[in-house]
């Protein structure tokens, strides 16, 4: 029975308290149980969410064993069609290849191990410094 319906019945019974004190007590008890069950369910849900965010792998894991991380949002699973997923994968691969090529060009020209002669020779000073 839903809490709203129980509250309504309680109000009706409170009007005629003399007739059904036991019935009123039983309905109040049922209302209290349903509200506590609802609160317990919400607490379990939030605990499950927190556990999913921290990345707990098994229940025996303690706070000492997990790494201190900042709170991260859980990744959403995108509802993509296979064609769109393939299209995005191709675009990302092209982007990564371009990035690697750009990094490759910049590192080869300024490589520290390349056998290049310095453009200016160090001058010998008279004071020895």
């Amino acid at each position: 029975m839903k809490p709203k319906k129980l509250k309504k019945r309680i109000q009706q019974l409170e009007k005629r308290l003399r007739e059904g004190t036991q019935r009123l007590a039983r309905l109040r008890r049922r209302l209290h149980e349903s509200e506590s069950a609802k609160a317990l369910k919400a607490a379990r849900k939030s605990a499950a969410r927190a556990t999913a965010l921290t990345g707990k792998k098994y229940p025996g894991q303690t706070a000492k064993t997990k790494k201190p991380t900042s709170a991260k949002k859980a990744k959403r699973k995108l509802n993509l069609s296979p064609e769109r997923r393939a299209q995005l994968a191709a675009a990302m691969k092209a982007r990564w290849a371009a990035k690697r090529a750009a990094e490759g060009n910049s590192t080869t020209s300024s490589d520290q191990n390349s056998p290049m002669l310095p453009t200016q020779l160090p001058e010998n000073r008279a004071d020895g410094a």
Side-chain angles (χ1 to χ4, degrees), residues 2-118:
K2 294 185 179 178
K4 187 176 180 182
K5 185 92 172 173
L6 285 173
K7 286 178 187 176
K8 231 179 202 180
R9 282 201 177 175
I10 288 169
Q11 287 174 353
Q12 289 171 356
L13 281 173
E14 282 175 344
K15 288 180 186 174
R16 41 198 166 110
L17 250 177
R18 295 184 199 125
E19 296 171 16
T21 54
Q22 291 178 347
R23 189 171 179 193
L24 175 64
R26 189 176 67 232
L27 287 173
R28 278 194 176 154
R29 203 174 319 119
R30 282 174 62 184
L31 173 65
H32 180 69
E33 287 171 0
S34 68
E35 286 176 347
S36 63
K38 188 177 178 183
L40 183 65
K41 185 178 179 182
R44 280 187 185 154
K45 206 172 194 180
S46 67
R49 252 190 231 121
T51 304
L53 287 178
T54 58
K56 217 177 211 188
K57 293 201 168 104
Y58 53 91
Q61 191 175 18
T62 62
K64 293 178 184 176
T65 58
K66 51 184 180 174
K67 296 178 182 178
T69 57
S70 61
K72 293 181 182 179
K73 288 186 179 179
K75 284 189 176 181
R76 291 189 315 160
K77 184 177 179 187
L78 299 176
N79 294 325
L80 295 175
S81 65
E83 296 85 18
R84 180 63 179 153
R85 188 178 299 279
Q87 184 183 7
L88 285 175
M92 293 303 291
K93 285 178 184 174
R95 183 186 294 176
W96 294 332
K99 188 176 179 181
R100 276 196 302 272
E103 286 177 358
N105 291 340
S106 65
T107 56
T108 55
S109 63
S110 64
D111 193 8
Q112 296 291 332
N113 297 328
S114 64
M116 293 184 106
L117 294 174

